[in-house]
Amino acid sequence: MNPMTASNLKSAFGGESMAHMRYISWGEAAKKEGFPNVWNLFNAVSYAEQVHAANHFRELKKEAGEASVTAGAGFGMTTTAENLQGAIDGENYEVDQMYPAFIQVANMQEEKSSIRSFQFALEAEKTHAALFTEAKGRVEQGKDFDESRVHVCDICGYTLTGETVEDDCPICKAKPEMFRCFDTNAE
């Protein structure tokens, strides 16, 4: 694997891993603030970030050894609305800057499987930003996120709300049974 693409995969792995843990923490804070559906959304998207990190890690299977990883990350524990804004900012950075640049480099270096890993994450991050934006609007009104059921594709991390998943994943074409359901009421 070309060293530049490998470095980008490592950076993406680091960023997704940190987002995974950050969302777990922010979800717990949301639950304590009285927003159980926001807690559930953070948990679901945390899982999606884990899917992205695992995909990137798999691409690095031949890159054994230690590495220092530079990855952007938001820190701090504030209000649920502010934490949601931090999540929105992080997702938008990945959508607008990070993943398009990583995809362009991987394309230039003809790293086809890395392109797929980056593309899956890029498309899924768009859904995360939209869901966090919707949740933030509700929280700013003093209300919980409307959706108690969130579904995440086990293959690419695509995320949607609703009672059930009826169609194949629009990103990776996984069947509905490949989605994991997060349900506020199943706690």
Side-chain angles (χ1 to χ4, degrees):
M1 174 176 288
N2 187 289
M4 186 178 280
T5 293
S7 177
N8 288 344
L9 280 165
K10 290 172 186 174
S11 178
F13 171 79
E16 299 293 1
S17 298
M18 287 188 282
H20 165 72
M21 293 308 301
R22 185 171 44 253
Y23 292 168
I24 289 171
S25 296
W26 285 349
E28 288 299 321
K31 189 175 184 182
K32 288 177 184 168
E33 276 189 54
F35 300 110
N37 289 345
V38 174
W39 163 76
N40 189 54
L41 176 62
F42 269 126
N43 281 344
V45 178
S46 171
Y47 175 70
E49 304 301 357
Q50 180 181 344
V51 168
H52 299 160
N55 286 344
H56 300 330
F57 192 78
R58 251 188 312 281
E59 291 305 315
L60 291 162
K61 63 185 169 274
K62 294 182 181 175
E63 300 292 318
E66 299 296 318
S68 292
V69 176
T70 302
F75 289 90
M77 184 70 71
T78 57
T79 67
T80 295
E82 290 169 321
N83 291 340
L84 284 163
Q85 185 60 56
I88 294 163
D89 292 345
E91 301 294 336
N92 285 335
Y93 166 76
E94 291 174 334
V95 168
D96 296 335
Q97 295 182 42
M98 187 182 89
Y99 281 122
F102 288 178
I103 290 167
Q104 192 170 35
V105 169
N107 266 319
M108 181 185 71
Q109 297 175 343
E110 299 179 355
E111 297 284 359
K112 293 184 187 331
S113 60
S114 297
I115 295 165
R116 183 182 63 243
S117 187
F118 291 146
Q119 193 69 45
F120 281 178
L122 170 67
E123 294 306 318
E125 302 299 11
K126 292 174 185 178
T127 65
H128 303 163
L131 290 167
F132 284 142
T133 299
E134 186 181 336
K136 182 179 179 243
R138 296 286 297 165
V139 168
E140 287 176 332
Q141 297 172 0
K143 299 175 182 172
D144 200 4
F145 184 53
D146 285 332
E147 301 289 341
S148 64
R149 295 190 92 182
V150 183
H151 307 273
V152 179
C153 177
D154 286 333
I155 306 301
C156 71
Y158 173 72
T159 306
L160 72 155
T161 60
E163 283 302 308
T164 61
V165 177
E166 301 290 329
D167 300 317
D168 291 354
C169 178
I171 296 172
C172 70
K173 309 303 181 216
K175 298 293 181 198
E177 56 270 15
M178 294 301 296
F179 281 76
R180 180 172 173 185
C181 180
F182 292 80
D183 189 340
T184 303
N185 302 315
E187 180 197 355

